[in-house]
Amino acid sequence: GAGVSQSPSNKVTEKGKDVELRCDPISGHTALYWYRQRLGQGLEFLIYFQGNSAPDKSGLPSDRFSAERTGESVSTLTIQRTQQEDSAVYLCASSWRLSTYEQYFGPGTRLTVT
Amino acid sequence: AQKVTQAQTEISVVEKEDVTLDCVYETRDTTYYLFWYKQPPSGELVFLIRRNSFDEQNEISGRYSWNFQKSTSSFNFTITASQVVDSAVYFCALSEYGQNFVFGPGTRLSVLP
């Protein structure tokens, strides 16, 4: 079947606006992860879901960031009042189960805050 | 706490040379999983290998091989006869059972023709 998809692929927004990023995991994958990758940097963990529960939100950088997931499908990452330091590629990944299985990554959403 | 160290920030080799990418991890668990991912210039991360902590057998897949040594907490990755297409950033990752993944900072490999 299809891999992990993310939309939009690119988003340019003005500072202070809200943005919503979407992730469609591989069908049947119960675990879903969000990461942030700044230019030339490694992966920064943001949040993961097991089903629609998010037991670990410790990676969210601030209270401007939130995420939700509907059942074991689509997830949205919302950034409110965007700041220039939010500019990065936001990567979503899914896996069959939490932690024990490899993650499959989407192509990412490149967010640019002007 | 989990931690993954990839001490080599950047490596450059000439095509056909062998190259080893180092990965050292820290964990308190006895059950854990190790992974390698490749991120080519196109950007999309590609899964390469998964290993559990109870399986220390080395693995070979074509030109790729992995050396897992629990005694030194290392999971090194060797590319034999490197090719230009191997140029990418390579990430090592660790997951303790039931916990999230922790990725290393990555090693940028450049294979020159």
Side-chain angles (χ1 to χ4, degrees):
Chain A
V4 177
S5 61
Q6 293 186 246
S7 60
S9 55
N10 278 286
K11 177 71 177 178
V12 180
T13 190
E14 291 181 354
K15 178 182 173 180
K17 295 285 180 71
D18 298 352
V19 296
E20 193 172 274
L21 312 180
R22 177 187 168 108
C23 172
D24 282 273
I26 292 173
S27 178
H29 281 192
T30 63
L32 185 146
Y33 311 77
W34 283 99
Y35 296 89
R36 179 168 70 179
Q37 187 175 31
R38 290 198 168 102
L39 187 64
Q41 303 294 311
L43 278 72
E44 178 186 358
F45 164 73
L46 298 179
I47 189 170
Y48 74 81
F49 290 89
Q50 176 60 45
N52 61 5
S53 170
D56 184 357
K57 302 180 181 179
S58 63
L60 294 176
S62 74
D63 57 10
R64 296 186 295 104
F65 287 71
S66 63
E68 61 179 30
R69 186 181 186 194
T70 306
E72 293 185 350
S73 60
V74 172
S75 175
T76 54
L77 176 68
T78 301
I79 309 173
Q80 296 178 309
R81 306 181 301 282
T82 52
Q83 304 293 313
Q84 288 187 332
E85 63 262 27
D86 299 334
S87 296
V89 175
Y90 290 82
L91 293 165
C92 174
S94 70
S95 68
W96 187 43
R97 287 183 186 169
L98 185 68
S99 81
T100 59
Y101 292 89
E102 59 272 19
Q103 298 181 3
Y104 291 89
F105 283 81
T109 293
R110 181 175 299 279
L111 175 65
T112 303
V113 182
T114 61
Chain B
Q2 304 165 274
K3 183 178 179 181
V4 176
T5 301
Q6 295 179 255
Q8 305 148 308
T9 306
E10 293 192 35
I11 302 175
S12 286
V13 299
V14 177
E15 206 169 17
K16 298 184 183 176
E17 285 185 3
D18 298 348
V19 58
T20 295
L21 309 181
D22 297 335
C23 173
V24 174
Y25 61 92
E26 294 178 27
T27 177
R28 291 175 295 190
D29 271 14
T30 55
T31 302
Y32 53 90
Y33 302 82
L34 295 162
F35 305 80
W36 275 96
Y37 287 84
K38 174 182 180 180
Q39 188 174 38
S42 60
E44 194 156 340
L45 280 108
V46 176
F47 163 75
L48 295 178
I49 190 171
R50 165 181 175 263
R51 245 344 192 206
N52 74 57
S53 53
F54 299 109
D55 182 2
E56 283 193 76
Q57 280 195 350
N58 292 329
E59 181 155 340
I60 298 175
S61 176
R63 295 184 297 106
Y64 295 172
S65 62
W66 291 269
N67 185 324
F68 177 27
Q69 293 196 345
K70 289 177 75 170
S71 60
T72 56
S73 297
S74 65
F75 186 43
N76 296 337
F77 173 31
T78 297
I79 302 174
T80 303
S82 60
Q83 300 177 0
V84 172
V85 294
D86 296 328
S87 296
V89 180
Y90 291 86
F91 292 96
C92 180
L94 164 71
S95 179
E96 295 170 348
Y97 187 77
Q99 302 296 322
N100 187 33
F101 282 55
V102 169
F103 281 80
T107 296
R108 181 176 301 277
L109 173 65
S110 297
V111 181
L112 308 175

